[in-house]
Amino acid sequence: MTRLGIGLRLAVQALAFLLVIVPHMVSLKFGRGRLAARIPVWFHRLFLRLFSVRVTQSGTPPPPGEPALVLANHVSWLDIVALGSLRPLSFVAKSEIEGWPVIGGLAKLQRTVFIERAKRAATAQVNATVGQRLASGDLIVLFAEGTTGDGLHLLPFRSSLVGAARAALAAETGGLARIRLQPLALSYPRRNGLPVTRAERPEVAWYGDMELAPHLGLFATRGPIDVHIAWGPPIAFDAATDRKLATAQAESAVRQALRETRGGTSPARPTRPAPAHEGADVSAPGVAAI
């Protein structure tokens, strides 16, 4: 993709943002937020289509309207766009992102819950916030490794923020009898129609001390990417559930899903455009890496 092509695509994305920002803010402030929940889905889908990213899925996601705490691995900034294109949802993110130019503003519009990891007291506060959101019916994505990885090795899942599931059971309004923990595995198996090699993985995974700008440049110029999203078996979480054990079960499910995806045994289907309130797939042309 040439610089001109990249510039034109970014201009289209920026124009789309200008067109939807006012209705989005009005929906959040004066409405029930239903329109504001769907706008990010359309926005992410446009980005995937413009930059030739194809999303495929396997497994069964939570039914529409069912609250769930999604425990996922984290490979790249592109994870946010791929997941956000599927259905209305929000993320838990480190507080530093809130101050990032452009990205921080977009995260706020998606109702991201920010956490200051340096403060121990912040965990309890975030758990209470996420728990209330779950009790009200939201789908919340937690990148349980706590950081991005190289796409080859799964880092240990952290159980501290899974306490949000228990907070959802005890929420003052709309407390649930049980909450669904949903394992989810993200991988990038192919680029330009070919399997991604180990040498190519730094062009796809964004981790460690990598600079973001050069990484974005590689993403835009190296060709179409496939993102595969594998939904694992749900884990029922109730008042008697051991938080650490449930987290370990989710980690094991994600690890298994990644093995199956790499081995080509996971049934993948391209996502198709669907109403944002459905849990169906969304499409965007392209190819990817894991």
Side-chain angles (χ1 to χ4, degrees):
M1 190 181 300
T2 65
R3 289 186 178 182
L4 177 59
I6 295 171
L8 289 174
R9 285 165 174 79
L10 290 176
V12 170
Q13 193 76 35
L15 177 60
F17 176 80
L18 294 176
L19 291 174
V20 302
I21 183 60
V22 172
H24 185 100
M25 297 302 294
V26 169
S27 175
L28 282 178
K29 189 168 184 177
F30 301 107
R32 297 183 179 181
R34 293 177 181 174
L35 179 61
R38 288 169 173 75
I39 284 176
V41 177
W42 303 331
F43 190 75
H44 291 312
R45 289 181 184 180
L46 174 63
F47 181 91
L48 296 178
R49 186 169 296 278
L50 288 172
F51 288 92
S52 298
V53 180
R54 183 176 64 177
V55 178
T56 58
Q57 293 188 85
S58 61
T60 305
E66 178 179 345
L69 180 62
V70 178
L71 303 183
N73 65 314
H74 199 7
V75 181
S76 170
W77 57 270
L78 191 55
D79 299 348
I80 308 292
V81 185
L83 290 173
S85 72
L86 299 180
R87 60 196 295 177
L89 49 78
S90 297
F91 298 91
V92 178
K94 59 184 180 181
S95 57
E96 295 96 309
I97 292 177
E98 188 174 7
W100 289 4
V102 182
I103 295 175
L106 292 174
K108 292 175 187 177
L109 292 175
Q110 191 139 11
R111 301 177 66 212
T112 296
V113 179
F114 297 101
I115 177 171
E116 293 186 55
R117 292 178 180 170
K119 296 181 179 180
R120 288 194 173 185
T123 299
Q125 182 179 357
V126 168
N127 281 343
T129 300
V130 174
Q132 194 62 55
R133 294 273 298 275
L134 290 169
S136 65
D138 284 7
L139 188 68
I140 306 290
V141 177
L142 171 63
F143 292 117
E145 295 168 289
T147 185
T148 50
D150 62 6
L152 288 171
H153 306 95
L154 187 66
L155 302 174
F157 278 16
R158 300 181 179 185
S159 65
S160 56
L161 290 179
V162 179
R166 196 170 304 285
L169 305 178
E172 294 182 4
T173 58
L176 305 171
R178 63 170 55 183
I179 189 72
R180 176 185 181 123
L181 295 185
Q182 178 67 63
L184 183 146
L186 283 147
S187 61
Y188 294 76
R190 302 177 76 81
R191 174 163 235 162
N192 289 308
L194 299 174
V196 172
T197 65
R198 282 179 175 267
E200 293 172 322
R201 292 199 181 278
E203 299 177 6
V204 178
W206 181 54
Y207 60 99
D209 57 357
M210 287 182 176
E211 294 291 336
L212 180 58
H215 191 270
L216 292 174
L218 289 173
F219 160 75
T221 58
R222 293 299 174 89
I225 290 182
D226 285 341
V227 184
H228 185 69
I229 295 171
W231 301 89
I235 301 167
F237 192 103
D238 57 29
T241 302
D242 184 288
R243 168 174 56 86
K244 293 185 177 180
L245 178 59
T247 304
Q249 289 175 332
E251 180 185 332
S252 177
V254 170
R255 194 179 302 277
Q256 179 61 30
L258 290 174
R259 287 197 196 102
E260 292 175 352
T261 302
R262 291 167 185 159
T265 58
S266 286
R269 60 187 189 275
T271 58
R272 297 187 178 87
H277 64 280
E278 296 182 6
D281 305 331
V282 310
S283 75
V287 205
I290 167 181

